[in-house]
Amino acid sequence: METMDIEFEIAKNQIAIDFENLKDQDGQEESLVLQKSVIKPVNFDWIKNEVLFVVVKANRIEVCPGFSSLKLCGKTMTDWVLMASGGCQTMVVNDCEDIIDKIRTINTDKKIIALFYSDTPLLDKSGFYRIMDYFSSKSINFLQLARGIIVKTGFLKNNPSFMSSATGGYEDDCLFVVDSGQALSYAHKQLNQKVLNFHKANGVVIFGENSVFVDADCEIDSGVIIYPNNVISGQSIISSGCVLQSGNVVVDSILAENVEIQGCYIENSKICQGNVVKAGEKVINEER
């Protein structure tokens, strides 16, 4: 069959998955730390308005070559940490020996700098809000994290040696550090499970979750059925009524409504409504 270029209706970072539900029963975002008997913020807008969210790009070559550019579920670890920013102004910097001195030179009008490292890809928005809620409730200038810091900008610039007295640190499961191959595998598993849970909550039926892998920027409609041993990667779109039998790989492709695929490889292609692609077939740069 003659190959052709397919014009995809896919935008870069086509979906921003918000894995957290931070709404209370009144529909307002609630404090994750302060008790209801204490005056609490109605929402977290103050974080977006007052915080500069800085990600330090870690390069743990002892874990694997190309660590900083490695993708988990279609996104680099830096991307995953940036997704936790909750709408804050963001900045990415390279790691260095004097990272605090480097951060001190940042010209910003934000009152607080929140610094995290890219080797904590399990950090999510609810974890970030939880940390900021704690920082705010304590009325402190500086919070040492297990991996990173939260600091008031004025305090950072006027106290050149404040880190020398830092001990301990605030700990949270969301700050899990990828510092080994085993930790990398665990982080990938957790992120993939988040993606699967997101789609299941939206009506996707997934059998054999331990062998189904979906990138974060894939769109899957309600009513899709996915059997074990499937990989859906890139910015693929799987439309309603599709059935993915076992053993498929779908890369940057569109499956229109009611398509069935049976153990095949599909890349940069579009499978039109109601078609069946049988086991062993390779569909690359095609529309069929």
Side-chain angles (χ1 to χ4, degrees), residues 13 35-36 61 85 98 106 108 123 135 151 165 170 194 234 239 254 259 265 271 280:
N13 296 323
Q35 300 297 317
K36 291 193 179 287
I61 56 175
S85 64
D98 54 348
I106 293 175
T108 179
L123 176 67
F135 179 80
V151 61
S165 60
Y170 176 94
K194 279 189 176 185
S239 304
I254 297 173
V259 164
Y265 180 89
I271 309 301

Side-chain angles (χ1 to χ4, degrees), residues 13 70-76 79-80 188 214-217 233-234:
N13 296 323
L70 183 69
K71 290 189 175 182
L72 304 180
C73 301
K75 291 184 177 292
T76 66
D79 291 335
W80 280 109
H188 178 266
V214 179
D215 279 354
D217 287 331
S233 65

Side-chain angles (χ1 to χ4, degrees), residues 27-259:
Q28 297 177 331
E29 292 175 319
E30 62 175 322
S31 169
L32 299 174
V33 173
L34 303 181
Q35 300 297 317
K36 291 193 179 287
S37 59
V38 180
I39 296 175
K40 65 180 179 63
V42 174
N43 56 50
F44 288 100
D45 284 346
W46 71 271
I47 297 176
K48 179 175 64 177
N49 296 331
E50 297 184 11
V51 177
L52 174 64
F53 189 99
V54 178
V55 180
V56 181
K57 188 181 290 187
N59 187 18
R60 289 183 173 271
I61 56 175
E62 74 275 11
V63 175
C64 68
F67 180 88
S68 61
S69 59
L70 183 69
K71 290 189 175 182
L72 304 180
C73 301
K75 291 184 177 292
T76 66
M77 284 179 271
T78 300
D79 291 335
W80 280 109
V81 177
L82 285 170
M83 285 177 66
S85 64
C88 292
Q89 180 182 345
T90 62
M91 177 180 293
V92 178
V93 299
N94 292 321
D95 200 2
C96 62
E97 227 173 271
D98 54 348
I99 190 63
I100 299 301
D101 288 338
K102 186 173 183 177
I103 299 304
R104 189 176 280 114
T105 64
I106 293 175
N107 184 20
T108 179
D109 60 354
K110 301 299 182 182
K111 296 179 181 180
I112 300 170
I113 294 176
L115 183 150
F116 298 96
Y117 285 81
S118 65
D119 55 9
T120 58
L122 299 188
L123 176 67
D124 53 22
K125 189 171 71 174
S126 65
F128 173 49
Y129 283 3
R130 190 162 56 244
I131 292 167
M132 294 308 304
D133 209 2
Y134 179 86
F135 179 80
S136 176
S137 69
K138 295 296 183 182
S139 299
I140 52 180
N141 293 315
F142 164 62
L143 176 63
Q144 174 76 56
L145 304 175
R147 187 69 167 140
I149 63 169
I150 311 295
V151 61
K152 290 183 178 178
T153 306
F155 182 80
L156 172 67
K157 295 184 180 295
N158 296 324
N159 293 272
S161 60
F162 78 93
M163 284 294 290
S164 62
S165 60
T167 58
Y170 176 94
E171 295 188 4
D172 194 293
D173 290 343
C174 71
L175 296 175
F176 174 82
V177 181
V178 176
D179 56 2
S180 66
Q182 183 177 8
L184 183 63
S185 297
Y186 175 80
H188 178 266
K189 181 178 180 181
Q190 294 301 308
L191 292 172
N192 186 64
Q193 191 60 56
K194 279 189 176 185
V195 174
L196 297 183
N197 288 344
F198 172 84
H199 290 298
K200 288 193 299 179
N202 288 333
V204 178
V205 179
I206 301 175
F207 297 117
E209 294 181 27
N210 290 335
S211 60
V212 174
F213 299 93
V214 179
D215 279 354
D217 287 331
C218 294
E219 290 187 3
I220 308 177
D221 288 347
S222 174
V224 169
I225 299 176
I226 304 174
Y227 285 90
N229 299 314
N230 273 282
V231 177
I232 308 170
S233 65
Q235 295 181 319
S236 296
I237 297 176
I238 314 297
S239 304
S240 62
C242 287
V243 177
L244 282 66
Q245 300 290 352
S246 295
N248 301 286
V249 176
V250 180
V251 183
D252 287 322
S253 295
I254 297 173
L255 305 187
E257 293 181 356
N258 301 317
V259 164

Side-chain angles (χ1 to χ4, degrees), residues 8-23:
F8 288 96
E9 297 178 358
I10 301 177
K12 184 178 180 181
N13 296 323
Q14 60 189 5
I15 55 174
I17 297 179
D18 185 356
F19 296 115
E20 289 73 46
N21 179 6
L22 297 175
K23 303 290 184 181

